[in-house]
Amino acid sequence: MAKLLHLDSSLNGDASHSRAVTAAFRAAWESEHPGGTVVYRDLAAEAIPHLAAAAYYAGQVSPAEHSPEQKAAFELRGTLIQEAEEADAILIGAPMYNYTISSTLKAWLDHVVLYGRTVGTPDRTLAGKPTTVVASRGGSYAPGTPREGVDYVQPYLEHLLAGEMGLDVHFIIPELTLAPVNPAMADLIPLAEASRAKALEEAESRGKQLARQLSA
């Protein structure tokens, strides 16, 4: 049975646009593959601690050679990496905060990026794993827009997840999410609604497609 690792990082609970889209993906996945497993981490509700020096340096020592202190320090990193390795697909909600990802998602990445295991080796353990990133944002950073070039979510995640870790990454981008609540963006509400509808449709389609593919 296929296993999905689902991460959310939005601070906005039920009002979150990224959570709505990841939920659509997950619902489609589960409807297509009801016998599958979903491992869920809400990085906003239960934040992972930032990577400490002891855990970082323990990652440079073979687990077989860990001291008791190193073993304890590395335990969470080992758990998070193993969850990603055991998943057949990964789903990440990555809303933009101050032009980049949330600190909670960055903390998860810092634990999972391990030289010689998930990066920096021809045998990267996550290479090729289908990964869907829902990168919602309050405005638009598309080519030709006034804010083109200041999106540090998609370029960063493309480089780290795809370039360094070798994941097969697909982005879904609901944008202009602030239009309904920002009077200055009122004229953009139709575009925001269209973007949200497209993102939900794409998430549902991709969730079904991957579930069929991985459970075949």
Side-chain angles (χ1 to χ4, degrees):
M1 295 295 181
K3 181 181 291 187
L4 174 69
L5 174 60
H6 175 188
L7 309 173
D8 276 324
S9 61
S10 171
L11 304 174
N12 290 328
D14 292 341
S16 165
H17 292 269
S18 66
R19 287 177 185 267
V21 177
T22 60
F25 178 106
R26 177 171 170 174
W29 168 286
E30 292 179 322
S31 69
E32 199 68 34
H33 188 40
T37 302
V38 178
V39 175
Y40 180 61
R41 283 191 177 270
D42 187 333
L43 301 178
E46 296 183 19
I48 291 168
H50 290 295
L51 184 63
Y56 175 79
Y57 289 111
Q60 300 180 9
V61 178
S62 168
E65 299 175 6
H66 277 169
S67 68
E69 293 77 13
Q70 289 171 324
K71 182 178 180 180
F74 189 76
E75 184 177 6
L76 177 59
R77 291 192 77 185
T79 296
L80 297 175
I81 292 170
Q82 187 173 349
E83 284 179 353
E85 290 173 340
E86 291 179 349
D88 296 288
I90 299 175
L91 172 64
I92 303 174
M96 177 185 286
Y97 291 113
N98 299 316
Y99 307 105
T100 188
I101 62 173
S102 68
S103 64
T104 54
L105 178 55
K106 180 63 164 58
W108 180 84
L109 288 165
D110 286 342
H111 283 278
V112 171
V113 172
L114 180 58
Y115 191 84
R117 184 167 170 180
T118 61
V119 300
T121 173
D123 301 320
R124 295 172 295 182
T125 57
L126 300 179
K129 197 178 297 290
T131 301
T132 304
V133 178
V134 178
S136 58
R137 61 277 312 274
S140 177
Y141 300 81
T145 63
R147 296 194 176 222
E148 178 184 359
V150 293
D151 165 19
Y152 300 105
V153 174
Q154 186 171 354
Y156 168 67
L157 291 178
E158 281 180 340
H159 174 76
L160 182 59
L161 297 177
E164 297 294 329
M165 303 171 78
L167 294 159
D168 180 11
V169 182
H170 176 84
F171 284 87
I172 298 176
I173 304 179
E175 62 178 12
L176 300 168
T177 62
L178 288 176
V181 297
N182 184 344
M185 299 174 66
D187 291 345
L188 300 174
I189 289 177
L191 292 176
E193 292 174 342
S195 179
R196 179 182 173 91
K198 179 182 177 183
L200 290 169
E201 180 181 354
E202 188 176 354
E204 181 178 353
S205 174
R206 184 163 173 80
K208 287 183 178 180
Q209 173 196 342
L210 283 178
R212 291 171 185 164
Q213 174 185 324
L214 295 170
S215 60

